[in-house]
Coordinates of all heavy atoms in Angstrom, one line a residue:
P350 N -9.7 -25.4 -5.8 CA -9.7 -26.2 -4.5 C -10.0 -25.1 -3.3 O -10.1 -25.6 -2.1 CB -8.2 -26.7 -4.3 CG -7.4 -25.6 -5.1 CD -8.3 -25.2 -6.2
G351 N -10.2 -23.9 -3.7 CA -10.4 -22.9 -2.6 C -11.8 -22.9 -1.8 O -12.6 -23.7 -2.2
T352 N -11.9 -21.9 -1.1 CA -13.3 -21.6 -0.4 C -14.3 -21.6 -1.4 O -14.2 -20.8 -2.3 CB -13.2 -20.5 0.5 OG1 -12.2 -20.6 1.5 CG2 -14.4 -20.3 1.3
K353 N -15.4 -22.2 -1.1 CA -16.7 -22.0 -1.9 C -17.8 -21.7 -1.3 O -18.1 -22.3 -0.1 CB -16.8 -23.6 -2.6 CG -15.7 -23.9 -3.7 CD -16.0 -25.2 -4.4 CE -14.9 -25.5 -5.3 NZ -13.6 -25.8 -4.6
P354 N -18.8 -21.0 -1.7 CA -20.0 -20.7 -1.1 C -21.0 -21.9 -1.1 O -20.8 -23.0 -2.0 CB -20.7 -19.5 -2.0 CG -19.4 -19.0 -2.9 CD -18.6 -20.2 -3.0
E355 N -21.9 -21.9 -0.3 CA -22.9 -23.0 -0.3 C -23.6 -23.0 -1.6 O -24.0 -24.1 -2.2 CB -23.9 -22.9 0.8 CG -23.1 -23.2 2.2 CD -24.2 -23.1 3.4 OE1 -25.4 -22.9 3.1 OE2 -23.7 -23.3 4.5
N356 N -24.0 -21.9 -2.1 CA -24.7 -21.9 -3.4 C -23.9 -21.3 -4.5 O -22.9 -20.6 -4.2 CB -25.9 -21.0 -3.2 CG -27.0 -21.4 -2.2 OD1 -27.4 -22.5 -2.1 ND2 -27.4 -20.4 -1.3
T357 N -24.0 -21.7 -5.7 CA -23.3 -21.3 -6.9 C -23.4 -19.8 -7.1 O -22.4 -19.2 -7.4 CB -23.7 -22.1 -8.1 OG1 -23.6 -23.4 -7.8 CG2 -22.8 -21.7 -9.3
F358 N -24.5 -19.3 -6.9 CA -24.8 -17.8 -7.1 C -25.5 -17.2 -5.9 O -26.3 -17.8 -5.3 CB -25.6 -17.6 -8.3 CG -24.9 -18.1 -9.6 CD1 -25.3 -19.2 -10.3 CD2 -23.8 -17.4 -10.3 CE1 -24.8 -19.7 -11.5 CE2 -23.3 -17.8 -11.5 CZ -23.7 -19.0 -12.0
M359 N -25.2 -15.9 -5.8 CA -26.0 -15.2 -4.7 C -27.4 -15.0 -5.2 O -27.6 -15.0 -6.4 CB -25.1 -14.0 -4.4 CG -25.2 -12.9 -5.6 SD -24.4 -11.3 -5.0 CE -24.7 -10.4 -6.6
P360 N -28.4 -14.7 -4.2 CA -29.7 -14.6 -4.6 C -29.9 -13.3 -5.7 O -30.7 -13.4 -6.6 CB -30.4 -14.3 -3.2 CG -29.5 -15.0 -2.3 CD -28.2 -14.8 -2.7
A361 N -29.3 -12.1 -5.3 CA -29.4 -11.1 -6.2 C -28.9 -11.3 -7.5 O -27.9 -12.1 -7.7 CB -28.7 -9.8 -5.6
Q362 N -29.4 -10.7 -8.6 CA -28.9 -10.8 -9.9 C -27.6 -10.1 -10.2 O -26.9 -10.5 -11.3 CB -30.0 -10.4 -10.8 CG -31.3 -11.3 -10.8 CD -31.0 -12.7 -11.2 OE1 -30.5 -13.0 -12.2 NE2 -31.3 -13.7 -10.2
E363 N -27.3 -9.2 -9.5 CA -26.0 -8.4 -9.6 C -25.6 -7.8 -8.3 O -26.5 -7.6 -7.5 CB -26.1 -7.5 -10.8 CG -27.0 -6.4 -10.6 CD -27.1 -5.4 -11.8 OE1 -26.4 -5.7 -12.8 OE2 -27.8 -4.4 -11.7
I364 N -24.3 -7.5 -8.2 CA -23.9 -6.7 -7.0 C -24.3 -5.3 -7.1 O -24.7 -4.7 -8.3 CB -22.4 -6.7 -6.9 CG1 -21.7 -6.1 -8.1 CG2 -21.9 -8.1 -6.7 CD1 -20.2 -6.0 -8.1
E365 N -24.4 -4.5 -6.1 CA -24.7 -3.2 -6.0 C -23.5 -2.4 -6.4 O -22.4 -2.5 -6.0 CB -25.0 -2.7 -4.5 CG -25.3 -1.3 -4.3 CD -25.5 -0.7 -2.9 OE1 -25.2 -1.6 -2.0 OE2 -25.8 0.3 -2.8
R366 N -23.6 -1.7 -7.5 CA -22.6 -0.8 -8.0 C -22.9 0.6 -7.5 O -24.0 1.1 -7.5 CB -22.5 -0.9 -9.6 CG -22.0 -2.1 -10.1 CD -22.1 -2.3 -11.6 NE -21.4 -3.5 -12.0 CZ -21.9 -4.7 -11.9 NH1 -23.1 -5.0 -11.4 NH2 -21.0 -5.7 -12.3
V367 N -21.7 1.3 -7.1 CA -21.8 2.6 -6.6 C -21.1 3.6 -7.3 O -20.0 3.3 -8.0 CB -21.3 2.5 -5.0 CG1 -22.3 1.5 -4.2 CG2 -19.9 2.1 -5.0
N368 N -21.4 4.8 -7.0 CA -20.6 6.0 -7.5 C -19.5 6.4 -6.7 O -19.8 7.2 -5.8 CB -21.6 7.1 -7.8 CG -20.9 8.3 -8.4 OD1 -19.9 8.1 -9.2 ND2 -21.3 9.4 -8.3
F369 N -18.3 5.9 -6.9 CA -17.1 6.1 -6.0 C -16.3 7.3 -6.7 O -16.0 7.2 -7.8 CB -16.3 4.8 -6.0 CG -15.1 5.1 -5.1 CD1 -15.2 5.3 -3.7 CD2 -13.8 5.3 -5.7 CE1 -14.0 5.6 -3.0 CE2 -12.7 5.4 -5.0 CZ -12.8 5.6 -3.7
R370 N -16.0 8.2 -5.9 CA -15.2 9.3 -6.3 C -14.5 9.9 -5.2 O -14.9 10.1 -4.0 CB -15.9 10.4 -7.1 CG -17.1 11.0 -6.4 CD -18.1 11.6 -7.3 NE -19.3 12.0 -6.7 CZ -19.8 13.2 -6.5 NH1 -19.0 14.3 -6.8 NH2 -20.9 13.6 -5.9
I371 N -13.2 10.3 -5.4 CA -12.4 11.1 -4.6 C -12.4 12.5 -4.9 O -11.8 12.8 -6.1 CB -10.9 10.5 -4.4 CG1 -10.9 9.0 -3.9 CG2 -10.2 11.4 -3.4 CD1 -9.7 8.4 -4.0
I372 N -13.0 13.4 -4.2 CA -13.1 14.9 -4.6 C -11.9 15.7 -4.3 O -11.3 16.4 -5.1 CB -14.4 15.4 -4.2 CG1 -15.6 14.6 -4.6 CG2 -14.6 16.8 -4.5 CD1 -16.8 15.0 -4.0
A373 N -11.5 15.7 -2.9 CA -10.5 16.5 -2.6 C -10.0 15.9 -1.2 O -10.6 15.3 -0.5 CB -10.8 17.9 -2.5
N374 N -8.7 16.4 -0.9 CA -8.2 16.0 0.4 C -8.8 16.9 1.5 O -9.0 18.2 1.3 CB -6.7 16.2 0.5 CG -6.0 15.1 -0.3 OD1 -6.5 14.1 -0.3 ND2 -4.8 15.4 -0.8
A375 N -9.2 16.3 2.6 CA -9.7 17.1 3.7 C -8.7 17.7 4.4 O -7.5 17.2 4.5 CB -10.5 16.3 4.7
N376 N -8.9 18.8 5.3 CA -8.0 19.3 6.2 C -7.7 18.2 7.2 O -8.6 17.8 7.9 CB -8.5 20.5 6.9 CG -7.7 21.2 7.9 OD1 -6.6 20.6 8.1 ND2 -7.9 22.4 8.3
N377 N -6.5 17.8 7.4 CA -6.1 16.7 8.3 C -5.9 17.1 9.8 O -5.5 16.3 10.6 CB -5.0 15.9 7.6 CG -3.8 16.8 7.4 OD1 -3.6 17.7 8.1 ND2 -3.1 16.5 6.3

Side-chain angles (χ1 to χ4, degrees):
T352 299
K353 296 180 177 64
E355 292 184 2
N356 301 312
T357 304
F358 298 102
M359 65 180 183
Q362 291 302 304
E363 63 178 7
I364 59 173
E365 177 190 7
R366 288 173 169 80
V367 298
N368 181 26
F369 176 72
R370 52 200 172 111
I371 299 172
I372 297 171
N374 287 329
N376 181 350
N377 53 39

